[in-house]
């Protein structure tokens, strides 16, 4: 538990936000579990929310936000702990195209601003993955179809056809 709380940031497709708490409190909660002092929790939570473009939404409740905004809160919560590994489980699930592109841009920004963080994205949406990953492994029903750079995967018609034929 200690290793996970201090080293891994999780972003779930269902957000896992506490509905009766504000956005700021939701982000601070992850830091509470890591034993960070109250003053430091607030500072880091505000900084993380600003990084994902929600610095002006600190006192909103999750039910006052769109799905894309709630996912950004989840990303801020994961980033606030200063993880060495960021795991994103289908982060674009339920998002429209605009929200999905915003999410892709946030992930690209994290890669630039925090090169020490390893980012693992698991998603069914090939367009999201192609836009944010350096390296891909395509797995279909437990079978590895390909591993390589995004452009190599995109050029592999057999992989794309198998991926598209698999559905969700």
């Amino acid at each position: 538990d200690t290793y996970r709380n201090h080293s891994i940031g999780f972003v779930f497709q269902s957000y896992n936000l506490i509905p009766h708490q504000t956005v700021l409190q939701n982000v601070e909660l992850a830091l509470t579990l890591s034993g960070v002092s109250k003053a430091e929790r607030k500072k880091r939570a505000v900084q993380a929310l600003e990084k994902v473009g929600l610095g002006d939404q600190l006192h909103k409740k999750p039910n006052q936000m769109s799905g894309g905004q709630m996912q950004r809160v989840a990303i801020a919560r994961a980033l606030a702990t200063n993880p060495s590994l960021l795991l994103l489980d289908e982060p674009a699930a339920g998002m429209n195209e605009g929200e999905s592109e915003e999410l892709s841009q946030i992930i690209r920004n994290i890669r630039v601003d925090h090169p020490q963080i390893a980012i693992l994205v698991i998603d069914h949406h090939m367009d999201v993955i192609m836009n944010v990953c350096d390296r891909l492994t395509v797995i279909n029903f437990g079978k590895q179809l390909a591993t390589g750079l995004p452009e190599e995967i995109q050029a592999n018609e057999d992989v794309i056809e198998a991926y598209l034929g698999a559905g969700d």
Side-chain angles (χ1 to χ4, degrees):
D1 288 344
T2 300
Y3 176 77
R4 183 180 63 231
N5 287 340
H6 293 278
S7 301
I8 303 173
F10 291 95
V11 179
F12 304 97
Q13 70 185 57
S14 60
Y15 321 123
N16 290 348
L17 301 177
I18 299 172
H20 65 275
Q21 291 194 331
T22 66
V23 166
L24 181 61
Q25 291 168 330
N26 268 281
V27 176
E28 285 181 307
L29 181 60
L31 297 168
T32 301
L33 298 173
S34 296
V36 177
S37 72
K38 186 175 182 174
E40 182 65 14
R41 277 195 311 258
K42 183 170 184 175
K43 176 184 161 196
R44 285 168 58 178
V46 169
Q47 287 173 339
L49 286 162
E50 287 173 347
K51 281 185 188 225
V52 298
L54 295 174
D56 60 344
Q57 311 278 324
L58 303 178
H59 303 292
K60 280 191 173 182
K61 301 272 175 87
N63 66 355
Q64 298 172 304
M65 307 183 96
S66 70
Q69 289 173 316
M70 287 191 287
Q71 192 62 291
R72 287 191 278 158
V73 173
I75 292 169
R77 181 184 56 208
L79 282 178
T81 63
N82 296 323
S84 50
L85 174 62
L86 183 61
L87 297 175
L88 295 108
D89 177 18
E90 295 195 43
M95 289 187 182
N96 64 38
E97 190 175 325
E99 290 173 328
S100 180
E101 180 49 42
E102 273 182 6
L103 175 70
S104 294
Q105 186 58 52
I106 288 168
I107 296 169
R108 286 191 296 269
N109 290 346
I110 292 168
R111 288 179 52 214
V112 170
D113 297 342
H114 303 280
Q116 76 283 7
I117 299 176
I119 302 173
L120 177 63
V121 181
I122 301 162
D123 208 310
H124 289 93
H125 297 96
M126 188 73 85
D127 54 334
V128 171
I129 294 170
M130 290 289 186
N131 285 319
V132 300
C133 296
D134 289 332
R135 200 153 172 77
L136 304 173
T137 298
V138 179
I139 299 172
N140 188 6
F141 294 104
K143 182 180 177 194
Q144 182 176 315
L145 300 179
T147 297
L149 302 172
E151 55 272 13
E152 293 169 344
I153 301 295
Q154 236 173 357
N156 187 331
E157 291 178 19
D158 292 337
V159 170
I160 298 300
E161 186 176 314
Y163 173 81
L164 294 174
D168 284 334

PDB file of all heavy atoms in Angstrom, residues 142-164:
ATOM      1  N   GLY A 142      -5.932 -11.280 -25.517  1.00  0.00           N
ATOM      2  CA  GLY A 142      -4.779 -11.901 -24.883  1.00  0.00           C
ATOM      3  C   GLY A 142      -3.622 -12.223 -25.794  1.00  0.00           C
ATOM      4  O   GLY A 142      -2.581 -12.678 -25.346  1.00  0.00           O
ATOM      5  N   LYS A 143      -3.783 -11.992 -27.090  1.00  0.00           N
ATOM      6  CA  LYS A 143      -2.708 -12.289 -28.041  1.00  0.00           C
ATOM      7  C   LYS A 143      -2.047 -10.983 -28.477  1.00  0.00           C
ATOM      8  O   LYS A 143      -2.717 -10.062 -28.936  1.00  0.00           O
ATOM      9  CB  LYS A 143      -3.274 -13.003 -29.269  1.00  0.00           C
ATOM     10  CG  LYS A 143      -2.219 -13.375 -30.280  1.00  0.00           C
ATOM     11  CD  LYS A 143      -2.818 -14.074 -31.478  1.00  0.00           C
ATOM     12  CE  LYS A 143      -1.723 -14.362 -32.492  1.00  0.00           C
ATOM     13  NZ  LYS A 143      -2.268 -14.725 -33.791  1.00  0.00           N
ATOM     14  N   GLN A 144      -0.724 -10.913 -28.324  1.00  0.00           N
ATOM     15  CA  GLN A 144       0.011  -9.730 -28.768  1.00  0.00           C
ATOM     16  C   GLN A 144       0.083  -9.714 -30.285  1.00  0.00           C
ATOM     17  O   GLN A 144       0.601 -10.640 -30.899  1.00  0.00           O
ATOM     18  CB  GLN A 144       1.418  -9.723 -28.173  1.00  0.00           C
ATOM     19  CG  GLN A 144       2.215  -8.493 -28.574  1.00  0.00           C
ATOM     20  CD  GLN A 144       3.573  -8.454 -27.911  1.00  0.00           C
ATOM     21  OE1 GLN A 144       3.696  -8.708 -26.732  1.00  0.00           O
ATOM     22  NE2 GLN A 144       4.589  -8.133 -28.696  1.00  0.00           N
ATOM     23  N   LEU A 145      -0.473  -8.661 -30.872  1.00  0.00           N
ATOM     24  CA  LEU A 145      -0.475  -8.541 -32.330  1.00  0.00           C
ATOM     25  C   LEU A 145       0.743  -7.785 -32.843  1.00  0.00           C
ATOM     26  O   LEU A 145       1.239  -8.086 -33.927  1.00  0.00           O
ATOM     27  CB  LEU A 145      -1.743  -7.823 -32.804  1.00  0.00           C
ATOM     28  CG  LEU A 145      -3.074  -8.475 -32.448  1.00  0.00           C
ATOM     29  CD1 LEU A 145      -4.228  -7.625 -32.956  1.00  0.00           C
ATOM     30  CD2 LEU A 145      -3.146  -9.881 -33.028  1.00  0.00           C
ATOM     31  N   ALA A 146       1.189  -6.786 -32.086  1.00  0.00           N
ATOM     32  CA  ALA A 146       2.329  -5.981 -32.549  1.00  0.00           C
ATOM     33  C   ALA A 146       2.855  -5.124 -31.413  1.00  0.00           C
ATOM     34  O   ALA A 146       2.142  -4.790 -30.479  1.00  0.00           O
ATOM     35  CB  ALA A 146       1.899  -5.088 -33.705  1.00  0.00           C
ATOM     36  N   THR A 147       4.133  -4.778 -31.538  1.00  0.00           N
ATOM     37  CA  THR A 147       4.775  -3.827 -30.633  1.00  0.00           C
ATOM     38  C   THR A 147       5.646  -2.932 -31.495  1.00  0.00           C
ATOM     39  O   THR A 147       6.320  -3.413 -32.405  1.00  0.00           O
ATOM     40  CB  THR A 147       5.659  -4.547 -29.592  1.00  0.00           C
ATOM     41  OG1 THR A 147       4.819  -5.365 -28.787  1.00  0.00           O
ATOM     42  CG2 THR A 147       6.388  -3.564 -28.698  1.00  0.00           C
ATOM     43  N   GLY A 148       5.597  -1.632 -31.210  1.00  0.00           N
ATOM     44  CA  GLY A 148       6.438  -0.727 -31.977  1.00  0.00           C
ATOM     45  C   GLY A 148       6.042   0.718 -31.820  1.00  0.00           C
ATOM     46  O   GLY A 148       5.247   1.084 -30.951  1.00  0.00           O
ATOM     47  N   LEU A 149       6.621   1.539 -32.664  1.00  0.00           N
ATOM     48  CA  LEU A 149       6.316   2.963 -32.680  1.00  0.00           C
ATOM     49  C   LEU A 149       4.926   3.168 -33.270  1.00  0.00           C
ATOM     50  O   LEU A 149       4.460   2.340 -34.071  1.00  0.00           O
ATOM     51  CB  LEU A 149       7.354   3.705 -33.516  1.00  0.00           C
ATOM     52  CG  LEU A 149       8.807   3.560 -33.070  1.00  0.00           C
ATOM     53  CD1 LEU A 149       9.739   4.188 -34.089  1.00  0.00           C
ATOM     54  CD2 LEU A 149       9.009   4.166 -31.696  1.00  0.00           C
ATOM     55  N   PRO A 150       4.232   4.244 -32.897  1.00  0.00           N
ATOM     56  CA  PRO A 150       2.882   4.475 -33.425  1.00  0.00           C
ATOM     57  C   PRO A 150       2.807   4.401 -34.948  1.00  0.00           C
ATOM     58  O   PRO A 150       1.899   3.772 -35.499  1.00  0.00           O
ATOM     59  CB  PRO A 150       2.527   5.870 -32.919  1.00  0.00           C
ATOM     60  CG  PRO A 150       3.309   6.005 -31.663  1.00  0.00           C
ATOM     61  CD  PRO A 150       4.598   5.267 -31.922  1.00  0.00           C
ATOM     62  N   GLU A 151       3.789   4.984 -35.643  1.00  0.00           N
ATOM     63  CA  GLU A 151       3.747   4.967 -37.112  1.00  0.00           C
ATOM     64  C   GLU A 151       3.940   3.556 -37.671  1.00  0.00           C
ATOM     65  O   GLU A 151       3.399   3.210 -38.719  1.00  0.00           O
ATOM     66  CB  GLU A 151       4.738   5.959 -37.722  1.00  0.00           C
ATOM     67  CG  GLU A 151       6.176   5.813 -37.281  1.00  0.00           C
ATOM     68  CD  GLU A 151       6.536   6.589 -36.018  1.00  0.00           C
ATOM     69  OE1 GLU A 151       5.642   7.081 -35.303  1.00  0.00           O
ATOM     70  OE2 GLU A 151       7.743   6.692 -35.738  1.00  0.00           O
ATOM     71  N   GLU A 152       4.708   2.723 -36.965  1.00  0.00           N
ATOM     72  CA  GLU A 152       4.883   1.336 -37.398  1.00  0.00           C
ATOM     73  C   GLU A 152       3.574   0.555 -37.235  1.00  0.00           C
ATOM     74  O   GLU A 152       3.200  -0.222 -38.106  1.00  0.00           O
ATOM     75  CB  GLU A 152       5.978   0.649 -36.578  1.00  0.00           C
ATOM     76  CG  GLU A 152       7.359   1.201 -36.810  1.00  0.00           C
ATOM     77  CD  GLU A 152       8.376   0.683 -35.806  1.00  0.00           C
ATOM     78  OE1 GLU A 152       7.995   0.126 -34.747  1.00  0.00           O
ATOM     79  OE2 GLU A 152       9.577   0.840 -36.084  1.00  0.00           O
ATOM     80  N   ILE A 153       2.909   0.782 -36.118  1.00  0.00           N
ATOM     81  CA  ILE A 153       1.639   0.099 -35.861  1.00  0.00           C
ATOM     82  C   ILE A 153       0.595   0.550 -36.883  1.00  0.00           C
ATOM     83  O   ILE A 153      -0.132  -0.264 -37.444  1.00  0.00           O
ATOM     84  CB  ILE A 153       1.141   0.372 -34.427  1.00  0.00           C
ATOM     85  CG1 ILE A 153       2.162  -0.092 -33.386  1.00  0.00           C
ATOM     86  CG2 ILE A 153      -0.237  -0.234 -34.194  1.00  0.00           C
ATOM     87  CD1 ILE A 153       2.407  -1.573 -33.338  1.00  0.00           C
ATOM     88  N   GLN A 154       0.538   1.858 -37.125  1.00  0.00           N
ATOM     89  CA  GLN A 154      -0.433   2.395 -38.082  1.00  0.00           C
ATOM     90  C   GLN A 154      -0.203   1.846 -39.488  1.00  0.00           C
ATOM     91  O   GLN A 154      -1.143   1.622 -40.238  1.00  0.00           O
ATOM     92  CB  GLN A 154      -0.346   3.922 -38.111  1.00  0.00           C
ATOM     93  CG  GLN A 154      -1.647   4.570 -37.817  1.00  0.00           C
ATOM     94  CD  GLN A 154      -1.516   6.080 -37.689  1.00  0.00           C
ATOM     95  OE1 GLN A 154      -0.431   6.654 -37.762  1.00  0.00           O
ATOM     96  NE2 GLN A 154      -2.636   6.710 -37.499  1.00  0.00           N
ATOM     97  N   ALA A 155       1.045   1.599 -39.838  1.00  0.00           N
ATOM     98  CA  ALA A 155       1.380   1.100 -41.172  1.00  0.00           C
ATOM     99  C   ALA A 155       1.115  -0.399 -41.312  1.00  0.00           C
ATOM    100  O   ALA A 155       1.087  -0.918 -42.420  1.00  0.00           O
ATOM    101  CB  ALA A 155       2.840   1.398 -41.490  1.00  0.00           C
ATOM    102  N   ASN A 156       0.908  -1.078 -40.194  1.00  0.00           N
ATOM    103  CA  ASN A 156       0.690  -2.523 -40.222  1.00  0.00           C
ATOM    104  C   ASN A 156      -0.800  -2.803 -40.438  1.00  0.00           C
ATOM    105  O   ASN A 156      -1.587  -2.830 -39.504  1.00  0.00           O
ATOM    106  CB  ASN A 156       1.184  -3.144 -38.914  1.00  0.00           C
ATOM    107  CG  ASN A 156       1.152  -4.656 -38.938  1.00  0.00           C
ATOM    108  OD1 ASN A 156       0.340  -5.264 -39.623  1.00  0.00           O
ATOM    109  ND2 ASN A 156       2.044  -5.254 -38.151  1.00  0.00           N
ATOM    110  N   GLU A 157      -1.174  -3.012 -41.681  1.00  0.00           N
ATOM    111  CA  GLU A 157      -2.589  -3.176 -42.039  1.00  0.00           C
ATOM    112  C   GLU A 157      -3.225  -4.374 -41.355  1.00  0.00           C
ATOM    113  O   GLU A 157      -4.403  -4.329 -40.996  1.00  0.00           O
ATOM    114  CB  GLU A 157      -2.738  -3.272 -43.554  1.00  0.00           C
ATOM    115  CG  GLU A 157      -2.423  -1.970 -44.258  1.00  0.00           C
ATOM    116  CD  GLU A 157      -2.528  -2.075 -45.773  1.00  0.00           C
ATOM    117  OE1 GLU A 157      -3.180  -3.022 -46.267  1.00  0.00           O
ATOM    118  OE2 GLU A 157      -1.963  -1.197 -46.442  1.00  0.00           O
ATOM    119  N   ASP A 158      -2.478  -5.456 -41.156  1.00  0.00           N
ATOM    120  CA  ASP A 158      -3.038  -6.642 -40.496  1.00  0.00           C
ATOM    121  C   ASP A 158      -3.443  -6.328 -39.060  1.00  0.00           C
ATOM    122  O   ASP A 158      -4.488  -6.761 -38.581  1.00  0.00           O
ATOM    123  CB  ASP A 158      -2.035  -7.805 -40.499  1.00  0.00           C
ATOM    124  CG  ASP A 158      -1.779  -8.342 -41.899  1.00  0.00           C
ATOM    125  OD1 ASP A 158      -2.650  -8.147 -42.777  1.00  0.00           O
ATOM    126  OD2 ASP A 158      -0.718  -8.949 -42.109  1.00  0.00           O
ATOM    127  N   VAL A 159      -2.604  -5.554 -38.365  1.00  0.00           N
ATOM    128  CA  VAL A 159      -2.899  -5.185 -36.983  1.00  0.00           C
ATOM    129  C   VAL A 159      -4.116  -4.274 -36.930  1.00  0.00           C
ATOM    130  O   VAL A 159      -5.026  -4.482 -36.128  1.00  0.00           O
ATOM    131  CB  VAL A 159      -1.679  -4.508 -36.308  1.00  0.00           C
ATOM    132  CG1 VAL A 159      -2.053  -3.905 -34.962  1.00  0.00           C
ATOM    133  CG2 VAL A 159      -0.556  -5.509 -36.155  1.00  0.00           C
ATOM    134  N   ILE A 160      -4.143  -3.281 -37.785  1.00  0.00           N
ATOM    135  CA  ILE A 160      -5.269  -2.351 -37.807  1.00  0.00           C
ATOM    136  C   ILE A 160      -6.557  -3.086 -38.147  1.00  0.00           C
ATOM    137  O   ILE A 160      -7.590  -2.882 -37.502  1.00  0.00           O
ATOM    138  CB  ILE A 160      -5.019  -1.181 -38.795  1.00  0.00           C
ATOM    139  CG1 ILE A 160      -3.801  -0.365 -38.359  1.00  0.00           C
ATOM    140  CG2 ILE A 160      -6.246  -0.303 -38.924  1.00  0.00           C
ATOM    141  CD1 ILE A 160      -3.898   0.274 -36.982  1.00  0.00           C
ATOM    142  N   GLU A 161      -6.512  -3.974 -39.118  1.00  0.00           N
ATOM    143  CA  GLU A 161      -7.707  -4.730 -39.502  1.00  0.00           C
ATOM    144  C   GLU A 161      -8.185  -5.618 -38.347  1.00  0.00           C
ATOM    145  O   GLU A 161      -9.371  -5.681 -38.037  1.00  0.00           O
ATOM    146  CB  GLU A 161      -7.409  -5.582 -40.728  1.00  0.00           C
ATOM    147  CG  GLU A 161      -8.642  -6.276 -41.277  1.00  0.00           C
ATOM    148  CD  GLU A 161      -8.323  -7.035 -42.554  1.00  0.00           C
ATOM    149  OE1 GLU A 161      -7.634  -6.455 -43.433  1.00  0.00           O
ATOM    150  OE2 GLU A 161      -8.747  -8.199 -42.639  1.00  0.00           O
ATOM    151  N   ALA A 162      -7.254  -6.279 -37.667  1.00  0.00           N
ATOM    152  CA  ALA A 162      -7.617  -7.127 -36.525  1.00  0.00           C
ATOM    153  C   ALA A 162      -8.188  -6.285 -35.393  1.00  0.00           C
ATOM    154  O   ALA A 162      -9.170  -6.658 -34.751  1.00  0.00           O
ATOM    155  CB  ALA A 162      -6.407  -7.909 -36.036  1.00  0.00           C
ATOM    156  N   TYR A 163      -7.589  -5.127 -35.179  1.00  0.00           N
ATOM    157  CA  TYR A 163      -8.056  -4.221 -34.130  1.00  0.00           C
ATOM    158  C   TYR A 163      -9.468  -3.729 -34.450  1.00  0.00           C
ATOM    159  O   TYR A 163     -10.360  -3.800 -33.612  1.00  0.00           O
ATOM    160  CB  TYR A 163      -7.100  -3.038 -33.973  1.00  0.00           C
ATOM    161  CG  TYR A 163      -7.620  -1.991 -33.020  1.00  0.00           C
ATOM    162  CD1 TYR A 163      -7.484  -2.156 -31.656  1.00  0.00           C
ATOM    163  CD2 TYR A 163      -8.272  -0.865 -33.487  1.00  0.00           C
ATOM    164  CE1 TYR A 163      -7.975  -1.220 -30.779  1.00  0.00           C
ATOM    165  CE2 TYR A 163      -8.775   0.075 -32.631  1.00  0.00           C
ATOM    166  CZ  TYR A 163      -8.626  -0.104 -31.264  1.00  0.00           C
ATOM    167  OH  TYR A 163      -9.132   0.831 -30.401  1.00  0.00           O
ATOM    168  N   LEU A 164      -9.675  -3.246 -35.652  1.00  0.00           N
ATOM    169  CA  LEU A 164     -10.973  -2.724 -36.041  1.00  0.00           C
ATOM    170  C   LEU A 164     -12.034  -3.813 -36.085  1.00  0.00           C
ATOM    171  O   LEU A 164     -13.192  -3.579 -35.739  1.00  0.00           O
ATOM    172  CB  LEU A 164     -10.894  -2.014 -37.397  1.00  0.00           C
ATOM    173  CG  LEU A 164     -10.049  -0.732 -37.403  1.00  0.00           C
ATOM    174  CD1 LEU A 164      -9.919  -0.204 -38.827  1.00  0.00           C
ATOM    175  CD2 LEU A 164     -10.630   0.318 -36.484  1.00  0.00           C
TER     176      LEU A 164
END
